Amino acid sequence: MWEDLLDQLTWDETVFLLSHALRKTSAIESIGKPETLDHNGGCGPNLPYNVFSNVNNGLAIRKADPDQREKPIVYPCNGLVAATYNLELSYEYGQQWGEDCLWAGYAGLYGMGLNTHRSAFGGRNFEYFSEDPYLTGKMAAAMLRGMAKYGVTGTVKHFAGNNQEFSRHTVD
């Protein structure tokens, strides 16, 4: 089915789809593909609408929610979630992320971080779960399953090597 779908795209449509994707995928009218929106959210969806597009298919807009321009809840950092050692809670947490993504109009979320806590100076430790890679994997997998229940794609990031923010592009 994938090959059949790709065969329906022209070369220009394929190039456009692959090269215009800052936190979204572009619409392709010839095959009826709508624009999809993604957002950065290492600790959950944090904006009510996508600032990289004029299109918003979120439930808040479609249902004329009077609070549609409000930000979703600010979630606790992933380290606190991991400290519970509770996979069911992590799954439910992921479901809440998925619901908020649908409300805001996101098809996906660039988040959670899978790097491990190696240093107290890690500038993104709030996105990571633990110094234990096994616990990190189990908790992140449960959250991703929770998001997927609502059709929201979670893109994991910062798997390794992002241990500091200051001069992070110059560290060997």
Side-chain angles (χ1 to χ4, degrees):
M1 290 174 56
W2 179 248
E3 293 297 326
D4 292 340
L5 175 66
L6 292 179
D7 288 345
Q8 295 176 47
L9 296 174
T10 67
W11 171 257
D12 290 338
E13 288 172 330
T14 304
V15 169
F16 183 78
L17 182 64
L18 296 174
S19 61
H20 293 82
L22 177 60
R23 297 184 179 165
K24 67 178 184 175
T25 64
S26 298
I28 303 293
E29 289 182 33
S30 67
I31 59 171
K33 184 208 164 298
E35 180 176 275
T36 62
L37 304 175
D38 297 335
H39 209 298
N40 191 23
C43 287
N46 58 7
L47 289 174
Y49 52 92
N50 194 294
V51 296
F52 297 102
S53 173
N54 293 323
V55 176
N56 190 313
N57 295 321
L59 293 176
I61 301 294
R62 293 192 329 219
K63 301 292 185 183
D65 184 339
D67 295 326
Q68 62 186 258
R69 296 293 179 204
E70 297 297 323
K71 290 184 178 185
I73 189 170
V74 176
Y75 292 99
C77 71
N78 294 331
L80 290 176
V81 177
T84 69
Y85 297 89
N86 186 327
L87 294 176
E88 184 179 323
L89 179 64
S90 189
Y91 175 77
E92 290 175 10
Y93 192 63
Q95 287 183 69
Q96 187 61 53
W97 283 25
E99 285 185 24
D100 278 356
C101 283
L102 291 179
W103 180 83
Y106 306 145
L109 192 66
Y110 296 109
M112 70 275 319
L114 292 189
N115 205 353
T116 56
H117 296 165
R118 293 186 183 93
S119 163
F121 300 110
R124 295 194 182 220
N125 279 349
F126 67 95
E127 292 187 20
Y128 311 150
F129 290 89
S130 173
E131 69 281 354
D132 178 354
Y134 180 79
L135 177 61
T136 293
K138 294 299 260 185
M139 297 300 280
M143 284 182 68
L144 289 166
R145 280 193 303 276
M147 291 171 62
K149 179 179 177 183
Y150 291 91
V152 175
T153 303
T155 303
V156 298
K157 59 184 187 174
H158 306 300
F159 175 70
N162 189 27
N163 297 328
Q164 67 186 45
E165 288 301 301
F166 181 74
S167 298
R168 71 181 175 140
H169 297 289
T170 60
V171 175
D172 258 339

